[in-house]
Amino acid sequence: MTTQALEFTREIDAAPAEAFRAWTRSMALREWLCDVAIADARPGGRVYFGWNSGYWAAGEFSALEPDRRVAFTWQGKGEPGPTPVEVTLQASGDGTSIHL
């Protein structure tokens, strides 16, 4: 099986603390990413995402550095195995640069 790394960088108009919260809190995840979310934001804690379309994904937090980094696994419905995801946050002017 061939794997491919995908990388994205975006600038957002929010402080790093707000961006970190958006990736680690159930309510915040539901505000921007999915219809249902449960996040136990600690290394080894589980994370669940669900959409009204029937698609879902689950994973486990592997690293958390407040306001700087979030790492977790992602395995969606019907996918063959987990994918590692790493999000880094860096202050950039009045906002945050997010690298996924």
Side-chain angles (χ1 to χ4, degrees), residues 30-88:
R30 289 190 301 267
E31 289 173 353
W32 73 274
L33 179 63
C34 54
D35 298 305
V36 176
I38 300 171
D40 180 13
R42 61 183 173 83
R46 303 289 297 161
V47 60
Y48 301 94
F49 311 91
W51 288 264
N52 291 335
S53 66
Y55 182 76
W56 55 265
E60 183 176 300
F61 287 104
S62 55
L64 296 158
E65 296 175 38
D67 309 342
R68 297 186 51 211
R69 181 172 169 250
V70 177
F72 58 94
T73 56
W74 172 290
Q75 185 166 358
K77 178 180 178 182
E79 294 176 4
T83 299
V85 177
E86 183 170 346
V87 181
T88 56

Side-chain angles (χ1 to χ4, degrees), residues 1-42:
M1 174 188 286
T2 302
T3 62
Q4 178 181 0
L6 302 175
E7 294 189 41
F8 305 93
T9 301
R10 296 289 183 266
E11 302 288 326
I12 63 166
D13 188 24
E18 292 175 67
F20 184 81
R21 180 185 169 281
W23 285 96
T24 59
R25 299 291 182 252
S26 301
M27 184 175 288
L29 285 162
R30 289 190 301 267
E31 289 173 353
W32 73 274
L33 179 63
C34 54
D35 298 305
V36 176
I38 300 171
D40 180 13
R42 61 183 173 83

